[in-house]
Amino acid sequence: KGRVEVRGFGLTYDTADGATDAVSSVDLTVEPGEFVSIIGPSGCGKSTLLNALAGFLKPTRGVVTVDGEPITGPSADRGMIFQQYSLFPWKTVRENVEFGLKMKGMGRSERSRAARTLLGLAGLTPFENHYPDRLSGGMKQRVGIVRALATGPRILLLDEPFGALDAQTRLIMQQILTNMWQRLKISVLFVTHDLDEAIFLSDRIYVMTARPGEIKAEIAVPLPRP
Ligand code: ADP
Ligand code: ADP
């Protein structure tokens, strides 16, 4: 479970001052449990593609399926993480993580247990009762990842999640993400404009051309993971 297939995907934005061809044609596959990155220059349509996979945007052309089913909108099957941490400031760390579980109708003690387990895996136990404004950028992003994972998605979509972090925090976050991915056996699609980061993290990398984006190359990464 967790297979993503994109065939002939294209997206054109219609705006007041005309149409912007953001993505021309993309074919890609993420096998269950695979860690795949997409790299390409700024503006080539990486976020557009990821937002379509999340179900926030409708493809203009082509088909996007998850486990054979066409995507029709956002779903708890697909967790999305943005560059800007989008935590609820009025909720504690643990309440943030529990939010999606509450929406799914999970009872108080069960969701508290589930949240605590994941927070532990991410080294966040000492911070579970803190409010986001007391946390550093890296910590907030850590909570964001845990929150996206809490509902048990089969696929994690990350849009330049570590772009705003300093080098050392970035390294820690890359290790936490790798850890969670290996433990939870989910599929990951990771967008970055940093080739080093993509090589460090992925099984496979798709390289996109400048806008309107299409896949220019596919690289299998033969290196062992950290
Ligand atoms: P990337 O993530 O690779 O930087 P984006 O997907 O954000 O690229 O953007 C691709 C192109 O589409 C860019 O030229 C961008 O300006 C344009 N674009 C993105 N979002 C919109 C939008 N909502 N309306 C119109 N144009 C957009
Ligand atoms: P990134 O390069 O990190 O993907 P952008 O700066 O391209 O981010 O876009 C940030 C936000 O602005 C996105 O939500 C995108 O949809 C929107 N956006 C980008 N370009 C345009 C545009 N030309 N018109 C309207 N919205 C846009």
Side-chain angles (χ1 to χ4, degrees):
K1 287 280 184 176
R3 184 171 197 278
V4 179
E5 193 165 338
V6 177
R7 290 290 164 255
F9 171 81
L11 197 139
T12 304
Y13 290 102
D14 276 316
T15 46
D17 49 342
T20 303
D21 239 343
V23 179
S24 78
S25 179
V26 163
D27 295 291
L28 66 80
T29 308
V30 183
E31 297 298 343
E34 210 181 9
F35 197 125
V36 173
S37 289
I38 300 174
I39 63 166
S42 186
C44 74
K46 302 184 296 297
S47 295
T48 300
L49 172 60
L50 218 59
N51 277 298
L53 285 168
F56 301 138
L57 292 173
K58 199 168 165 287
T60 311
R61 301 171 288 282
V63 220
V64 179
T65 60
V66 170
D67 296 323
E69 299 284 330
I71 286 171
T72 54
S75 149
D77 281 353
R78 282 160 277 130
M80 176 99 169
I81 293 158
F82 305 91
Q83 179 167 347
Q84 289 309 323
Y85 353 97
S86 46
L87 303 176
F88 301 118
W90 60 87
K91 287 181 185 289
T92 64
V93 164
R94 182 154 56 81
E95 287 165 352
N96 265 281
V97 173
E98 285 186 29
F99 178 76
L101 300 174
K102 199 171 172 180
M103 291 295 103
K104 280 178 84 176
M106 192 183 280
R108 182 183 291 268
S109 63
E110 198 185 345
R111 64 177 193 256
S112 167
R113 197 164 343 112
R116 286 198 160 104
T117 303
L118 277 175
L119 287 166
L121 284 179
L124 285 168
T125 303
F127 305 96
E128 66 173 337
N129 295 317
H130 288 209
Y131 285 90
D133 66 357
R134 288 184 56 196
L135 304 176
S136 65
M139 283 295 183
K140 282 185 211 170
Q141 202 56 308
R142 226 189 267 201
V143 177
I145 291 175
V146 171
R147 190 179 59 176
L149 291 172
T151 51
R154 286 174 280 168
I155 298 147
L156 195 58
L157 306 166
L158 302 105
D159 191 0
E160 304 234 13
F162 310 143
L165 305 177
D166 63 80
Q168 192 179 352
T169 308
R170 197 176 171 116
L171 192 62
I172 293 167
M173 292 304 297
Q174 288 167 340
Q175 270 156 359
I176 287 171
L177 176 62
T178 304
N179 251 321
M180 303 285 257
W181 164 72
Q182 281 169 340
R183 273 175 186 268
L184 301 174
K185 304 190 190 313
I186 49 175
S187 313
V188 173
L189 193 55
F190 187 94
V191 160
T192 178
H193 58 256
D194 182 343
L195 178 61
D196 286 340
E197 181 170 52
I199 290 173
F200 186 59
L201 292 172
S202 330
D203 294 314
R204 220 146 43 77
I205 303 169
Y206 288 104
V207 184
M208 281 175 76
T209 59
R211 183 177 73 84
E214 52 189 355
I215 303 291
K216 176 164 66 174
E218 186 185 330
I219 306 168
V221 182
L223 303 173
R225 279 210 173 59

